[in-house]
Amino acid sequence: MPRYFFDIMDSTQSVPDEAGLDCRDLDEAHRQARTLIVDAMTGPEATRIDWCAWRVEVRDEARSLLFTIPFPHPHA
């Protein structure tokens, strides 16, 4: 099963995913990225962060960028 890495970043900060996650395919990786976004936006620090500039960059085992998902506007 391929391993995908989910790096979270905005224009000034980056939280690299060092461990990665095994996913069956790109669809599952996409679902995992969406779940990561929801979890981040509902966590204990969520109301103190402006999520508009944040995104998840999903990379493959070679660390090549596969796709990017922007965080939604909190009131969307």
Side-chain angles (χ1 to χ4, degrees), residues 29-43:
H30 194 273
R31 285 190 299 275
Q32 290 294 337
R34 291 274 183 210
T35 299
L36 178 67
I37 289 170
V38 169
D39 290 348
M41 293 183 77
T42 57

Side-chain angles (χ1 to χ4, degrees), residues 2-3 5 11 13-15 19 22 24 26-27 29-31 36-38 41-42 47 49 56 61-62 64 68 75:
R3 182 166 291 263
F5 296 85
S11 59
Q13 303 175 68
S14 175
V15 183
D22 292 335
R24 284 186 302 276
L26 280 175
D27 286 339
H30 194 273
R31 285 190 299 275
L36 178 67
I37 289 170
V38 169
M41 293 183 77
T42 57
T47 59
I49 298 173
V56 176
E61 293 171 335
S64 297
T68 300
H75 303 289

Side-chain angles (χ1 to χ4, degrees), residues 4 7 13-14 18 22-25 30 35 40 44 50 55 57 61 63-66 68 71-73:
Y4 296 88
D7 300 331
Q13 303 175 68
S14 175
E18 300 296 335
D22 292 335
C23 298
R24 284 186 302 276
D25 53 27
H30 194 273
T35 299
D50 178 9
R55 66 191 182 278
E57 291 188 350
E61 293 171 335
R63 296 300 186 141
S64 297
L65 180 63
L66 299 173
T68 300
F71 276 58
H73 189 277

